[in-house]
Amino acid sequence: MSLEQSSELKDTQSGKQTEEKAVSYDLKNIIKEISQEAHNSKTPIYIAILAAFLAFVSMADDDAGKRALVAHIEASNQFSYFQAKNIRLTSSEIAAGTFKSLGQVALASEWQQKADRYSSEKDEILATAKAEKAKQEIAIRQGDYFGIAIALLQIAIVLASVSLITGGGVLLSFSFVLSLVSLFVVVNGYGLYYDIPTDPKLAIDWVRSHL
């Protein structure tokens, strides 16, 4: 092979490599543009879903707060009613004992019947008060979980919005993780399946102990 032919062959090979590099570069740019367009088109939808979910959780949080307040008022009323019944019970027992010591059997029996009735009513009222107190505690626990979920969703929305501007996939991924965690917290808030501490340090220790 002559020197001239060798030079032409090298130029041809060099040209092909340049063309291949150009095609590869174009494909990378096309893939990047498609990925960016998909990111820009889907991220707003994702943010809208998060916003709708945030509104739903906020309503659940408000409802939990109202239920806790109503249960607290009802429990306080029932405990006050219990104290009043207890005072009447004590008075009736004293009256029954007094009439019995005086030989007034009929009056003693009448007051003893009242005392027995007050004792039965007192137990029922106490059971109702405890039930309302339990409802209050459940509503407070649910409200705590919903509050945590609201904070996580707000952070997730902010990260997704920033990723939409900067095109950062890492921020969007982190936002998606937070949204999944918030979903778990909301589901747990409704069902109270796990007694997860709401204090951050205790919550981290709880997660570590369950991994």
Side-chain angles (χ1 to χ4, degrees), residues 150-195:
I150 289 172
L152 293 175
L153 285 171
Q154 289 175 340
I155 297 173
I157 290 174
V158 171
L159 292 177
S161 301
V162 174
S163 73
L164 184 62
I165 298 172
T166 61
V170 176
L171 292 177
L172 186 62
S173 299
F174 191 52
S175 171
F176 186 69
V177 171
L178 289 180
S179 65
L180 290 179
V181 174
S182 67
L183 177 61
F184 168 76
V185 173
V186 170
V187 172
N188 187 67
Y190 272 109
L192 298 177
Y193 304 107
Y194 301 99
D195 188 15

Side-chain angles (χ1 to χ4, degrees), residues 13-26:
Q13 291 176 348
S14 178
K16 287 182 179 180
Q17 290 177 355
T18 304
E19 289 177 0
E20 290 176 356
K21 289 181 180 179
V23 171
S24 176
Y25 180 76
D26 291 338

Side-chain angles (χ1 to χ4, degrees), residues 4-148:
E4 184 178 349
Q5 289 177 338
S6 176
S7 177
E8 289 178 356
L9 181 60
K10 288 182 179 180
D11 291 340
T12 303
Q13 291 176 348
S14 178
K16 287 182 179 180
Q17 290 177 355
T18 304
E19 289 177 0
E20 290 176 356
K21 289 181 180 179
V23 171
S24 176
Y25 180 76
D26 291 338
L27 287 175
K28 289 181 180 179
N29 284 340
I30 291 172
I31 294 172
K32 185 177 181 181
E33 289 176 2
I34 293 174
S35 177
Q36 187 65 35
E37 288 177 1
H39 174 270
N40 292 337
S41 62
K42 292 181 180 179
T43 302
I45 299 175
Y46 167 68
I47 294 174
I49 294 173
L50 287 183
F53 188 42
L54 175 60
F56 170 78
V57 178
S58 298
M59 292 176 60
D61 185 44
D62 291 340
D63 179 68
K66 292 177 182 178
R67 286 189 287 110
L69 179 60
V70 171
H72 171 71
I73 294 173
E74 187 62 26
S76 298
N77 291 338
Q78 291 297 321
F79 277 120
S80 298
Y81 195 27
F82 168 80
Q83 293 296 336
K85 286 290 182 181
N86 198 36
I87 292 173
R88 290 183 181 182
L89 170 63
T90 303
S91 300
S92 298
E93 289 176 341
I94 292 174
T98 302
F99 284 121
K100 185 177 181 180
S101 63
L102 294 174
Q104 300 290 333
V105 179
L107 288 174
S109 177
E110 179 181 349
W111 280 100
Q112 186 58 48
Q113 289 178 359
K114 289 183 178 180
D116 294 339
R117 178 165 58 86
Y118 289 145
S119 178
S120 177
E121 291 176 350
K122 183 191 72 169
D123 293 338
E124 293 177 0
I125 293 170
L126 181 60
T128 303
K130 289 182 178 180
E132 293 297 328
K133 188 67 176 177
K135 289 181 181 179
Q136 178 192 0
E137 293 175 354
I138 290 175
I140 290 174
R141 286 180 61 197
Q142 289 179 325
D144 290 340
Y145 289 132
F146 294 151
I148 293 173

